[in-house]
Amino acid sequence: MNFLAHIYLSFDDPEITLGNFFADHIRGNKFKHFPDKIQKGILLHREIDTFTDAHPIAKQSSKRLHKNYHHYSRVIVDIYYDHFLAKNWDNYSNVPLTEYVEGFYDLLGDNYDILPIATKRMMPYMIADNWLLNYANLEGIERVLNGMNRRTKNKSRMNFAILDLEEYYAEFENEFCSFFEELITFSKQKFNALCEN
């Protein structure tokens, strides 16, 4: 899953949210210096990724893209799924997405000193272009895919993946909706288990 999903699946716990958000910027077990709850957020992120990668519905979404994008197809599906979460946000939260995203950006600002360097580098771009809010529209997703393609020095051809999204929009959305219900249940169980320890 991509940024918005990881933030959402932290169930409004600020420290879990931070760890869950920046976990991709942490290698191996180099997170023991963080406060306990942030460590748990990192572990929750990894549980979510493992569950997603192994899930038959997410695999089905990925398989549709594999011929054109090979191992990048899973990354593309993560971005698609964040789009559908943002687009259908009102089904998952009583807090409007604009307000929710602003609260998250405030959380980052308030905890800037402890963020990993890679997160600090990314943060100004994320906020300036309002990635999380713009996931809700296709133009925002197209910008994300173009940026990802540039980062792979045009090897991934991910910039073309907006066309696949448009062509199979209903299929991807249905897969997301089915999968995400299961992911919420799984993540809540893992969240509770981590917070009990």
Side-chain angles (χ1 to χ4, degrees):
M1 301 303 291
N2 210 40
F3 295 128
L4 185 60
H6 280 292
I7 296 162
Y8 175 78
L9 294 169
S10 301
F11 306 102
D12 299 318
D13 183 296
E15 289 180 296
I16 297 273
T17 300
L18 286 169
N20 202 346
F21 169 68
F22 65 59
D24 280 336
H25 293 151
I26 304 293
R27 292 284 161 257
N29 64 353
K30 295 186 166 49
F31 56 84
K32 303 297 184 187
H33 59 289
F34 288 111
D36 181 61
K37 273 276 193 82
I38 290 181
Q39 292 185 41
K40 288 174 176 175
I42 292 166
L43 295 173
L44 178 60
H45 178 110
R46 293 174 179 179
E47 292 275 9
I48 289 167
D49 281 357
T50 300
F51 179 85
T52 301
D53 289 345
H55 198 284
I57 296 177
K59 282 183 172 178
Q60 188 175 314
S61 292
S62 181
K63 189 176 177 187
R64 193 176 292 117
L65 299 168
H66 198 265
K67 189 177 82 168
N68 291 331
Y69 307 102
H70 309 291
H71 65 278
Y72 295 108
S73 56
R74 286 202 308 209
V75 178
I76 295 167
V77 169
D78 285 347
I79 293 165
Y80 287 179
Y81 280 10
D82 253 21
H83 164 65
F84 291 117
L85 175 56
K87 180 198 166 203
N88 298 297
W89 184 256
D90 292 348
N91 296 338
Y92 301 104
S93 177
N94 295 322
V95 180
L97 184 58
T98 307
E99 189 181 321
Y100 187 89
V101 164
E102 284 172 3
F104 173 69
Y105 294 152
D106 287 345
L107 178 68
L108 286 186
D110 291 345
N111 293 276
Y112 184 82
D113 290 346
I114 64 167
L115 298 177
I117 292 167
T119 309
K120 288 178 177 174
R121 283 199 198 111
M122 180 183 75
M123 190 175 144
Y125 302 102
M126 181 182 211
I127 295 172
D129 293 334
N130 208 343
W131 293 356
L132 300 176
L133 189 64
N134 284 317
Y135 283 152
N137 59 67
L138 289 176
E139 294 79 14
I141 293 298
E142 187 170 18
R143 276 198 297 277
V144 172
L145 291 166
N146 284 334
M148 297 290 282
N149 183 57
R150 277 196 302 277
R151 256 175 267 159
T152 67
K153 299 189 166 59
N154 303 320
K155 286 186 197 133
S156 67
R157 302 177 74 249
M158 284 168 74
N159 52 312
F160 293 107
I162 192 69
L163 303 175
D164 300 84
L165 177 58
E166 289 168 344
E167 184 175 356
Y168 298 105
Y169 196 85
E171 290 89 338
F172 283 120
E173 185 163 25
N174 288 336
E175 286 159 3
F176 165 77
C177 292
S178 299
F179 167 69
F180 201 62
E181 289 301 328
E182 291 187 42
L183 182 60
I184 292 170
T185 303
F186 170 83
S187 301
K188 188 66 178 172
Q189 289 168 347
K190 290 295 176 184
F191 173 91
N192 289 337
L194 284 164
C195 290
E196 281 166 13
N197 294 331

